[in-house]
Amino acid sequence: MKDLEQALELEVSQQKRFNATQPKVWLRNECVRVGLAETLCTYVMMVFGLGSVAQVVTGQGAFGEYLSINLGFGLGVAMGVHVGGKVSGAHMNAAVSFTMCMFGRLSWKMLPLYIFAQLLGSFLAAGTIYGVYYDAIHEYCGGNLTVTGELATAGIFATYPAPYLSLMGGFIDQVLGTALLLLCLMALSDQRNKPAAAGTEPIAVGLLVLLIGISMGRNSGYAINPTRDIAPRLFTAVAGWGMDVFR
């Protein structure tokens, strides 16, 4: 009888330890988990990226230069992949999500959720950076929020074409940059070719974005991402820059 009691106590003790080590799944709905993960990883990527632009612009070169922005977005993308890669895939880009649907890697019914999450994360990141750099932005431009000119600050949040760039030139620039991004992303995950080594995917994707920024950023700021650009542009439209951000 005593042996039986000891056996039962041992079983209960082991069960408690087993339960204590099991991860708790707070969000069982897949759509909710994916949506939150995609929002969060996009937010992380955009906070680091936009923050690097804000520091360079308002610091007038004293706190970084163009390469700082390339590094900020590249490393921001890498951190974003770490944050949401295992849950949503960390697309952080509507062009990537659309391509995944085209190749059958993502259900079409999930595309609106991904796009909404990316827009939300980008919008919140723009608001965050505006709040963090509010004093610096207004000190830099004297409180006059403009889209063009020597003291323009709208470019902190969204991308704008260089003065010399034609409409067709801008179109070609963005199509080529986005195509190269998608081509290389597919190559990095192609198990039948030379994919990135396991565990190195985030830094590999970050280096890819850094490479595109270094080589294709002159014309229009290498947005290569519709949701990265549209949401912050909407934010600037309502935050004081006005409708000029769409011209």
Side-chain angles (χ1 to χ4, degrees):
M1 187 68 177
K2 187 176 180 179
D3 292 340
L4 179 59
E5 290 178 355
Q6 291 177 343
L8 289 173
E9 289 177 359
L10 179 61
E11 183 178 353
V12 170
S13 176
Q14 291 176 341
Q15 186 65 35
K16 286 182 178 180
R17 287 199 300 270
F18 177 77
N19 291 336
T21 60
Q22 292 302 299
K24 295 182 178 179
V25 181
W26 298 105
L27 297 173
R28 297 184 180 278
N29 186 289
E30 181 184 3
C31 289
V32 174
R33 286 190 292 108
V34 168
L36 289 176
E38 190 68 12
T39 299
L40 183 58
C41 64
T42 304
Y43 175 83
V44 168
M45 180 264 290
M46 290 296 290
V47 164
F48 286 126
L50 297 182
S52 66
V53 182
Q55 181 165 290
V56 170
V57 171
T58 60
Q60 302 181 62
F63 296 94
E65 51 192 18
Y66 181 67
L67 183 59
S68 304
I69 298 173
N70 300 150
L71 289 169
F73 269 107
L75 293 174
V77 167
M79 293 302 104
V81 175
H82 275 297
V83 168
K86 285 293 185 179
V87 183
S88 68
H91 297 176
M92 302 179 285
N93 186 335
V96 173
S97 299
F98 181 80
T99 302
M100 294 299 104
C101 290
M102 290 290 293
F103 280 86
R105 297 187 181 183
L106 179 69
S107 171
W108 284 102
K109 67 180 180 180
M110 295 292 286
L111 182 61
L113 174 62
Y114 271 79
I115 292 177
F116 175 78
Q118 292 157 8
L119 288 170
L120 178 60
S122 296
F123 190 91
L124 293 175
T128 299
I129 293 303
Y130 182 64
V132 170
Y133 282 96
Y134 179 86
D135 293 330
I137 290 172
H138 283 264
E139 190 275 335
Y140 170 76
C141 67
N144 184 25
L145 302 177
T146 58
V147 178
T148 58
E150 292 185 2
L151 299 179
T153 48
I156 292 173
F157 302 94
T159 57
Y160 292 88
Y164 61 80
L165 192 65
S166 67
L167 184 62
M168 181 56 68
F171 177 79
I172 293 173
D173 174 80
Q174 287 302 296
V175 168
L176 179 60
T178 307
L180 287 173
L181 170 70
L182 296 171
L183 172 64
C184 293
L185 283 177
M186 299 300 283
L188 287 172
S189 61
D190 187 356
Q191 298 301 318
R192 295 173 297 179
N193 193 9
K194 288 287 290 182
T200 67
E201 296 90 343
I203 194 63
V205 176
L207 287 173
L208 171 59
V209 173
L210 172 63
L211 178 59
I212 293 175
I214 290 173
S215 60
M216 305 190 68
R218 176 70 178 93
N219 287 332
S220 52
Y222 75 106
I224 56 174
N225 183 344
T227 43
R228 168 264 178 273
D229 189 85
I230 293 172
R233 195 179 299 272
L234 287 171
F235 174 82
T236 53
V238 301
W241 281 265
M243 298 305 291
D244 282 348
V245 299
F246 295 108
R247 294 183 180 178

